[in-house]
Each structure stands twice: as C-alpha cells, then as structure tokens.
Amino acid sequence: MEPAAYGAGKAGGAFDPQTFIRQPHTILRIVSWLFSIVVFGCIVNEGYINQPNTPEQFCIYNRNQNACNYGITVGVLAFLTCLLYLALDVYFPQISSVKDRKKAVLSDIGVSEMHK
C-alpha cells in the first residue's frame, strides 16, 4: 500500500463520477445540501404570517423577525458551504501540493467541527 497525502492517492488521476457519488462523505454532503434547502425554503415560504387586521407580516417564531432571519441565514450558509465542499471534493484529486491538500482537509475538519 502506497502512502497517500491527506487521504488521496496520486494527484492527477482521472475523475470517475460513479465512484465519487458512491463515497459516503459525498452522499452525506448531498443529503446535508438537501436539508439546507428544506430549512431555508420552509422558513421563507411558511415562516411568516399576517394578522387579518394588519397588512404587516410577522415571523411565526414568537413574532421575532431576527429568528426568521437567523434560520434563513443558517440555511443559506449551509447550502453554500455544502456546494463549496462538494466542488472541493471533485477538485481534490487534482491538487498536487501537499500543503494545499492539508489546507483543504483542515478547513473541512474546521467547518465540520463548527457545526457540532
């Protein structure tokens, strides 16, 4: 078994979409991406109500506008982060520099730890 730098084989290998999609971390990223769409989609579509006597809309979370804004922000940031790391996973085998691979892996670990 040849040593690999930060979880990858030799740099410059061919990209195989079937192998990529079947990897567990890819599946989890796609599921997380879908959940982020559900989070901000639900809040944007059904998170606001209006009273019959006022035209102004209120957030359903204790009539606190910041609560709805926070949920939407978290959902959008999760959506963008999942897309970023999916793109990084596709590009990762092409990275030849060990330092760049280390930065990619450490940023992934750092972002994953922030979500716990």
Side-chain angles (χ1 to χ4, degrees):
M1 179 179 228
E2 294 181 26
Y6 295 101
K10 294 180 180 177
F15 178 71
D16 183 21
Q18 288 182 341
T19 304
F20 176 72
I21 291 175
R22 290 182 182 162
Q23 293 175 348
H25 68 276
T26 303
I27 294 169
L28 290 175
R29 287 197 206 279
I30 292 171
V31 169
S32 297
W33 179 68
L34 291 173
F35 284 153
S36 69
I37 292 172
V38 169
V39 166
F40 75 83
C42 288
I43 295 173
V44 167
N45 286 329
E46 298 293 329
Y48 298 94
I49 57 171
N50 60 340
Q51 300 295 327
N53 54 358
T54 62
E56 187 177 349
Q57 290 187 336
F58 297 102
C59 179
I60 61 171
Y61 302 114
N62 201 22
R63 292 188 175 211
N64 186 353
Q65 187 68 25
N66 291 329
C68 283
N69 290 341
Y70 178 76
I72 292 169
T73 302
V74 167
V76 170
L77 288 177
F79 176 82
L80 294 174
T81 304
C82 287
L83 285 181
L84 172 76
Y85 282 105
L86 271 172
L88 184 64
D89 287 343
V90 170
Y91 181 65
F92 190 76
Q94 305 301 321
I95 301 173
S96 60
S97 170
V98 175
K99 289 182 180 181
D100 291 340
R101 284 181 181 227
K102 181 179 177 181
K103 288 177 187 176
V105 171
L106 289 177
S107 72
D108 188 11
I109 290 170
V111 169
S112 298
E113 289 297 319
M114 284 189 341
H115 292 290
K116 287 184 178 181

